[in-house]
């Protein structure tokens, strides 16, 4: 049973999203296209690359990418073409420069601020070493004896 599940999981992999009619005859160009398409986001599926997605738009993007490579574009030219057409959203890992730098640094900065506020709050708390008064001890002893 476990082997059957393993085999079925292998068949469920998204690596076969690229259809045979999309593949290029030149294995070097096809390898470049596969590497580039793994770094481009499918606008429909959001967190899947166009290499993994079965969406119609992802297929069209794969075809356009391959057309650009066959036309002689370098890897960077092909990616720049896709970014010019769809915006930086199409990149799975956007550049950490300009306005994006603020987004890349915001999460760690907010984490450090939260840790600092938490540490300061804990340090300011009054110690909990309150002892019982003599009257309270007598009342407690009386209760425990009954």
């Amino acid at each position: 049973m476990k082997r059957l599940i393993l085999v079925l999981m292998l068949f469920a992999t998204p690596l076969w999203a690229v259809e045979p009619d999309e593949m290029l005859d030149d294995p070097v160009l096809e390898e470049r296209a596969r590497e580039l398409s793994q770094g481009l986001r499918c606008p429909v599926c959001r967190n899947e690359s166009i290499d993994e997605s079965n969406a119609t738009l992802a297929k069209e993007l794969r075809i356009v990418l391959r057309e650009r490579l066959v036309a002689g574009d370098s890897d960077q030219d092909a990616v720049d073409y896709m970014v010019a057409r769809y915006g930086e959203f199409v990149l799975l890992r956007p550049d950490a420069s300009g306005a994006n730098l603020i987004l890349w640094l915001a999460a760690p900065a907010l984490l450090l601020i939260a840790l600092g506020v938490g540490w300061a709050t804990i340090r300011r708390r009054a110690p909990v070493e309150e002892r019982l008064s003599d009257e309270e001890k007598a009342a407690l002893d009386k209760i425990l004896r009954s």
Side-chain angles (χ1 to χ4, degrees), residues 9 28 33 39 41-42 44 48 54 72-73 75 77-78 82 84 86 89 96 105-106 113 118 122 124 137-138 145:
M9 287 176 58
V28 175
R41 179 189 324 267
C42 174
V44 175
E48 277 188 336
N54 286 323
D73 283 0
D75 292 354
D77 290 340
M82 300 300 257
Y86 293 98
F89 175 75
L105 296 177
I113 290 170
I122 290 171
R124 279 193 213 145
K137 282 182 185 178
R145 285 184 200 154

Side-chain angles (χ1 to χ4, degrees), residues 118-130:
W119 184 74
T121 303
I122 290 171
R123 296 279 296 165
R124 279 193 213 145
R125 287 180 39 179
V128 190
E129 293 185 30
E130 296 180 16

Side-chain angles (χ1 to χ4, degrees), residues 18 22 28 32 38-39 58 65 72 83 85 88 97 102 107-108 110 115 120 127 139 141:
V18 177
E22 298 174 30
V28 175
R32 282 178 54 201
Q38 289 174 359
L65 180 65
V83 169
R85 194 168 179 188
E88 280 193 34
S97 63
I102 295 169
L110 289 174
L115 289 173
D141 287 338

Side-chain angles (χ1 to χ4, degrees), residues 29-40 51 65 75:
L29 278 179
E30 179 61 28
E31 183 63 31
R32 282 178 54 201
R34 293 297 296 262
E35 286 179 21
L36 291 176
S37 64
Q38 289 174 359
L40 297 173
D51 193 49
L65 180 65
D75 292 354

Side-chain angles (χ1 to χ4, degrees), residues 26-139:
D26 184 4
V28 175
L29 278 179
E30 179 61 28
E31 183 63 31
R32 282 178 54 201
R34 293 297 296 262
E35 286 179 21
L36 291 176
S37 64
Q38 289 174 359
L40 297 173
R41 179 189 324 267
C42 174
V44 175
C45 305
R46 302 292 169 112
N47 273 342
E48 277 188 336
S49 69
I50 62 171
D51 193 49
E52 300 169 340
S53 175
N54 286 323
T56 306
L57 183 58
K59 179 179 180 176
E60 292 173 7
L61 291 176
R62 289 191 300 263
I63 291 171
V64 169
L65 180 65
R66 284 168 171 74
E67 288 173 355
R68 301 299 299 182
L69 293 177
V70 169
D73 283 0
S74 68
D75 292 354
Q76 189 60 44
D77 290 340
V79 171
D80 289 344
Y81 176 80
M82 300 300 257
V83 169
R85 194 168 179 188
Y86 293 98
E88 280 193 34
F89 175 75
V90 80
L91 298 175
L92 276 174
R93 296 210 57 170
D95 296 332
S97 63
N100 288 342
L101 187 59
I102 295 169
L103 295 174
W104 281 98
L105 296 177
L110 289 174
L111 176 65
L112 291 175
I113 290 170
L115 289 173
V117 168
W119 184 74
T121 303
I122 290 171
R123 296 279 296 165
R124 279 193 213 145
R125 287 180 39 179
V128 190
E129 293 185 30
E130 296 180 16
R131 301 200 180 246
L132 295 177
S133 66
D134 291 334
E135 295 170 359
E136 291 171 333
K137 282 182 185 178

